[in-house]
Amino acid sequence: MKIALTLITAIFLGACQQHADEEVNLYSARNEALMKPLLDAFSQETGIKVNLISSKADALLTRIKSEGNNSPADVLLTTDAGRLHRAKLAGIFTAINSATLDKAIPSQYRDPQNQWFGLSVRARPIMSTQAATQMAITRYEDLADPLLAKQICIRSSGNIYNQSLVAAAIEANGEASTETWVKGLVANFARSPQGGDRDQIRAAAAGQCSIVVANTYYLANMLSNKGNADDLQAGSKMTVIWPNQEDRGTHVNVSGAGVLKTAPNKNNAIKLIEFLASDTAQKLYAEVNFEYPVKVGIELHPILKSWGTFKADPLPLSKLGENNADAVKLMDRAGWK
Ligand code: FE
């Protein structure tokens, strides 16, 4: 009897031990406050503990490379397809075959070799103050029109969101035509590029310019209770213009993740990415950071709904990474600081 009890206790402790051992190490370039509710929901559902390391995207990539085969990292999570492609080129990811991910994520939002998966969509449309009525802007290409001289505020060419915007234009219009466009766009800058997307909206609201190119989640953040009163007022002055609805569609990008080839907890890594593509997590992305879900049929946040629906550029986002170097050189030649 005593032996049997000891045996049962041993088995029980063994099971607990195994449970406590279930973990996944996430290297994340995303805001911790944004990821926390998603990761808590994952742990609650699966019992897998998430060890979160947060830092800048480039720093995480360098760290993974220097840790080499001993890296504890299972998953790298970052924004922008351009960065995900860079990580793929660095050879740190492994291909994942998951029917769940293939089904949840449209093919243009994942790597063709399944090395990274988009998990939230960010749109980068044109925004304008009501005052900008000199001409009807319907396309990104319109931003090079001399009628818009000194009207445009946009952040620097060092920013990957703008590099990806130009990379998408190269894919749509070719390099020569894109260079002419970027030169015209730069000629219309109201000021030398400075600050982030929110700063462009603030500048437009203050009358320094009337047209901005920015990711929608920044505007939504300003319009929500999460921002401050000045931002709410600035954001309220902006109208969202969905560009290129009659042709290629509005430029979109993703945040996403890949599993590392050296992952010590590969199965849990796959489970985490699958969870982030689930209905529960997709809805949370929209609620916490005002991004668009990658998965179709997920309820949108009311602020996002207020801007109406739009046609997104169906370009496979791996192209943003492939064209990144050409885009950077082109922006430099065109004098985009
Ligand atoms: Fe951002």
Side-chain angles (χ1 to χ4, degrees), residues 15 28 33 54 88 111 134-135 163 169 187 210 262 286 303 325 331-332:
S28 165
S54 296
K88 179 190 172 182
D111 174 55
Q134 297 100 318
M135 64 173 277
Q163 294 169 9
S210 60
T262 51
I303 294 177
M331 292 161 98
D332 195 45

Side-chain angles (χ1 to χ4, degrees), residues 122 155 161 215 217-218:
R122 36 261 308 282
R155 68 201 288 182
Y161 304 157
N215 287 357
Y217 55 86
Y218 289 113

Side-chain angles (χ1 to χ4, degrees), residues 313-324:
D313 187 347
L315 176 74
L317 295 191
S318 52
K319 293 282 176 201
L320 303 182
E322 288 167 27
N323 291 349
N324 180 270

Side-chain angles (χ1 to χ4, degrees), residues 258-337:
V259 176
L260 301 189
K261 68 178 181 200
T262 51
N265 307 291
K266 192 179 166 194
N267 285 338
N268 291 347
I270 297 169
K271 277 186 201 159
L272 175 60
I273 297 180
E274 286 178 345
F275 175 80
L276 293 175
S278 70
D279 286 17
T280 314
Q282 287 292 299
K283 199 157 182 296
L284 273 174
Y285 266 115
E287 278 166 15
V288 184
N289 198 39
F290 306 110
E291 291 172 281
Y292 288 91
V294 274
K295 200 173 182 181
V296 285
I298 304 291
E299 178 85 3
L300 295 180
H301 190 282
I303 294 177
L304 275 60
K305 274 190 193 163
S306 73
W307 301 323
T309 54
F310 67 98
K311 173 187 164 188
D313 187 347
L315 176 74
L317 295 191
S318 52
K319 293 282 176 201
L320 303 182
E322 288 167 27
N323 291 349
N324 180 270
D326 288 338
V328 170
K329 280 183 254 169
L330 187 157
M331 292 161 98
D332 195 45
R333 287 197 300 273
W336 189 334
K337 297 261 165 46

Side-chain angles (χ1 to χ4, degrees), residues 157-180:
S157 60
N159 172 256
I160 194 143
Y161 304 157
N162 285 336
Q163 294 169 9
S164 287
L165 176 71
V166 173
I170 291 175
E171 199 61 30
N173 301 329
E175 208 169 323
S177 165
T178 301
E179 188 158 346
T180 307

